[in-house]
Amino acid sequence: MQTYEQELQQAKEFLLKHDDYLIVSHVQPDGDAVSSTVAVGWLLSRLGKKFTMMNEGVIPNRMKSLWHAEYIINMSEQPPQRTFTNVICVDCADFERVGRTKQYFTEDAAIVNIDHHPTNNRYGAINVVYPEAAATAEILFDLLNLFDIEWDIDVATAVYTGLLTDTGGFRYSNTSPKVMNIASTLLSYGVNGPKIAEYLLEEMTLPQLKVLVQALNTLHITSDGKVAWVHITPQHMIDSGAVSEDLEGIVNYPRNIQGVEVGILFKQLNNGAVKVSMRSAGKVNVAALAQSFGGGGHVRAAGFRLEGDLEDIMSKVVEQVRRAL
Ligand code: 5GP
Ligand code: MN
């Protein structure tokens, strides 16, 4: 087993040695996924390397101000005409998380897997997997520091954004002393912390508020008060005018009820599948639960997707969570 430092070193050598990279993150990318994608892109641009950034779907509007985020190809809209041999996957706990972007990896592609999920199954040729990191962006902070390049405000803002979003605004239990030290360093590089927090964590669009109201109207809680859940249907999305990224954070509402151990958001997708997000107050390892349903994540924040009827899935999942309690 290699140390984290050795893994970083291997990734560094790989980046220096090759050229023409593809950078991908997970389906329905969050703040850490987009930040990590552009941070790797920024590094490669500084190294004078050719690179392409891609995701299976759309980049959240709120992330579009990050450095070169507008150049992240949405492969569902602009399918690339070629394949790539050197692939860097960021924030993807398993190979399935890259979604359909894998169509553009060559058979013999060399994958660098950079991630912080404890459920990561080390699917890369090179794996920089460090579950102690609060965000994949934290790993990128360490990686970038191995190179002889000067930080600028663009990349500092990206790394700060990944840290901020994956720690829930420096509040969750993954907010380690190291996270605060990195944040401090990034602020000293000129990052506008309050502005980013206001934009990403405070400000809401009207559809976002409307869809929150609709979700809260579906609230259920078990008789012992330990499991609470809400759901969203395609009709809720239409009525509120919300988009996928507007659901970010809703799962915290059932979780935040006093006495609740696990909060769940069930999002019914148009194609008869359900996306499940789980948050734990600490007693239940939701990563393990999510894994038993084919997903993954962190001890306190995890998710998965199931095909089937919403009501069936809700009762099945709630039953499993109750058993884990
Ligand atoms: P969220 O509930 O916000 O979508 O995700 C919470 C955490 O669980 C994130 O770290 C995310 O990467 C992980 N996660 C969510 N859905 C899945 C999934 O379908 N598979 C895996 N492996 N991880 C997931
Ligand atoms: Mn992450």
Side-chain angles (χ1 to χ4, degrees):
M1 189 74 182
Q2 287 184 313
T3 64
Y4 175 51
E5 286 70 26
Q6 288 168 329
E7 292 181 351
L8 285 170
Q9 200 59 41
Q10 273 196 319
K12 176 185 176 182
E13 283 159 21
F14 183 89
L15 296 184
L16 287 172
K17 190 169 169 188
H18 303 279
D19 200 354
D20 188 25
Y21 296 91
L22 176 67
I23 312 163
V24 298
S25 66
H26 57 79
V27 294
Q28 297 197 319
D30 57 9
D32 190 29
V34 181
S35 300
S36 298
T37 300
V38 303
V40 174
W42 182 93
L43 170 64
L44 290 171
S45 78
R46 286 301 152 110
L47 297 176
K49 306 281 185 177
K50 202 174 154 211
F51 64 95
T52 302
M53 302 184 287
M54 194 201 295
N55 197 277
E56 177 183 298
V58 293
I59 298 304
N61 283 320
R62 281 180 207 257
M63 296 297 151
K64 287 197 176 138
S65 56
L66 289 177
W67 181 87
H68 282 208
E70 73 271 29
Y71 297 120
I72 302 176
I73 294 171
N74 172 354
M75 58 149 277
S76 305
E77 277 175 5
Q78 299 164 257
Q81 302 302 311
R82 53 161 297 198
T83 54
F84 296 83
T85 302
N86 299 310
V87 180
I88 300 156
C89 298
V90 290
D91 208 37
C92 297
D94 54 63
F95 192 57
E96 286 312 303
R97 291 286 281 162
V98 306
R100 290 178 293 124
T101 63
K102 59 175 157 296
Q103 295 171 218
Y104 302 100
F105 305 178
T106 58
E107 286 281 313
D108 60 343
I111 294 177
V112 182
N113 163 19
I114 304 177
D115 184 42
H116 70 126
H117 292 93
T119 54
N120 190 294
N121 59 5
R122 305 181 71 87
Y123 53 86
I126 293 173
N127 299 285
V128 188
V129 177
Y130 191 54
E132 279 103 298
T136 300
E138 176 179 328
I139 301 174
L140 290 173
F141 178 85
D142 291 335
L143 182 63
L144 264 61
N145 280 329
L146 294 182
F147 292 85
D148 188 23
I149 43 180
E150 213 174 303
W151 283 73
D152 71 6
I153 184 110
D154 292 330
V155 73
T157 297
V159 172
Y160 188 92
T161 297
L163 283 179
L164 181 84
T165 52
D166 262 21
T167 58
F170 304 117
R171 289 178 306 170
Y172 301 156
S173 56
N174 57 356
T175 311
S176 62
K178 183 178 170 192
V179 166
M180 293 311 236
N181 274 321
I182 297 173
S184 162
T185 302
L186 297 173
L187 290 171
S188 78
Y189 295 160
V191 168
N192 191 335
K195 189 176 146 207
I196 300 170
E198 166 72 26
Y199 181 56
L200 294 182
L201 305 177
E202 302 289 339
E203 193 181 284
M204 292 178 98
T205 63
L206 189 56
Q208 194 180 3
L209 192 72
K210 284 183 176 170
V211 81
L212 171 63
V213 171
Q214 287 178 309
L216 295 180
N217 270 324
T218 72
L219 179 70
H220 282 78
I221 185 159
T222 50
S223 53
D224 61 4
K226 290 190 175 157
V227 186
W229 64 100
V230 296
H231 72 263
I232 301 277
T233 63
Q235 195 58 47
H236 290 145
M237 301 299 286
I238 295 166
D239 292 345
S240 59
V243 290
S244 204
E245 69 182 275
D246 296 330
L247 306 184
E248 193 84 32
I250 290 183
V251 63
N252 292 319
Y253 286 86
R255 212 299 271 148
N256 285 344
I257 301 167
Q258 210 169 51
V260 165
E261 285 297 334
V262 178
I264 317 171
L265 167 69
F266 296 92
K267 185 196 177 192
Q268 190 179 31
L269 308 170
N270 285 311
N271 49 8
V274 177
K275 167 80 215 289
V276 184
S277 284
M278 297 195 290
R279 297 293 183 271
S280 167
K283 275 195 193 137
V284 177
N285 177 352
V286 288
L289 268 171
Q291 231 172 354
S292 75
F293 285 105
H298 305 280
V299 174
R300 284 170 176 251
F304 57 93
R305 239 183 101 122
L306 283 183
E307 308 289 323
D309 175 69
L310 176 65
E311 294 295 332
D312 290 348
I313 289 172
M314 288 201 289
S315 53
K316 193 157 89 187
V317 171
V318 170
E319 185 47 39
Q320 281 303 111
V321 173
R322 294 185 67 158
R323 260 188 231 166
L325 268 160

